[in-house]
Amino acid sequence: MTEPAPLSPPAPPLREDLLDYTPTQRSVPLARRRAARVVAEWGQPGLAGDAALVVSELMTNALLHGSVRGRLIRVHLTLGHRTLRVEVSDPRGERLPRPRPVADADEQFGRGLSLVGALAARWGWEPRSVGKTVYAEWDLPTPAVVVT
């Protein structure tokens, strides 16, 4: 019996943007605007609005449910050949994301992850050594090309 072949490591991203934010309300619009600008600069203006909205939702969730005083929230955007990925990492690994059913149409809260699921091709979470990362991904209609 032969040993299974090891998986090849994922290809490095074509573009990458990483910034840590203080866990304050002011950080949410800053991260949203930065995401929209960066995604558009990367040649994906059609995804810039959706990516910005997803960053806003994930940042808000991290602020409300995942923040710890003195610990930062990280936003990491990557552009691969076929995928745009948004990640938001916070220090509270025990508070895992899960969509909530909205019982009342007038309810103001509880729709963020449903919105993320509607906008992105897929979303999920991954544990970190400290905390967790919640991500959303979009498949690109045509392979991304980096022009230098």
Side-chain angles (χ1 to χ4, degrees):
M1 180 177 217
T2 61
E3 292 291 318
L7 294 175
S8 59
L14 298 172
R15 298 275 192 229
E16 188 171 22
D17 184 73
L18 179 90
L19 194 61
D20 293 333
Y21 293 88
T22 56
T24 63
Q25 288 180 331
R26 190 178 75 111
S27 294
V28 175
L30 294 173
R32 180 180 59 238
R33 284 192 297 272
R34 182 181 179 97
R37 179 180 51 77
V38 165
V39 171
E41 287 174 357
W42 288 349
Q44 302 298 322
L47 292 177
D50 288 354
L53 185 52
V54 166
V55 165
S56 181
E57 291 297 330
L58 297 182
M59 277 287 293
T60 299
N61 284 352
L63 181 64
L64 294 174
H65 308 294
S67 63
V68 173
R69 182 178 293 231
R71 299 296 305 268
L72 300 174
I73 297 171
R74 172 166 288 175
V75 177
H76 187 195
L77 308 174
T78 56
L79 178 69
H81 288 283
R82 298 199 176 270
T83 307
L84 172 68
R85 182 175 171 115
V86 168
E87 298 178 352
V88 176
S89 301
D90 67 59
R92 303 264 325 254
E94 75 280 6
R95 307 272 322 252
L96 301 179
R98 59 177 193 259
R100 295 186 314 194
V102 180
D104 182 359
D106 294 329
E107 182 66 34
Q108 182 178 358
F109 299 101
R111 293 184 177 90
L113 290 175
S114 296
L115 183 59
V116 170
L119 292 173
R122 66 201 144 272
W123 75 273
W125 66 273
E126 300 167 342
R128 295 171 45 102
S129 56
V130 174
K132 67 184 171 298
T133 296
V134 183
Y135 67 87
E137 293 181 334
W138 292 263
D139 298 319
L140 302 179
T142 58
V145 177
V146 175
V147 179
T148 55

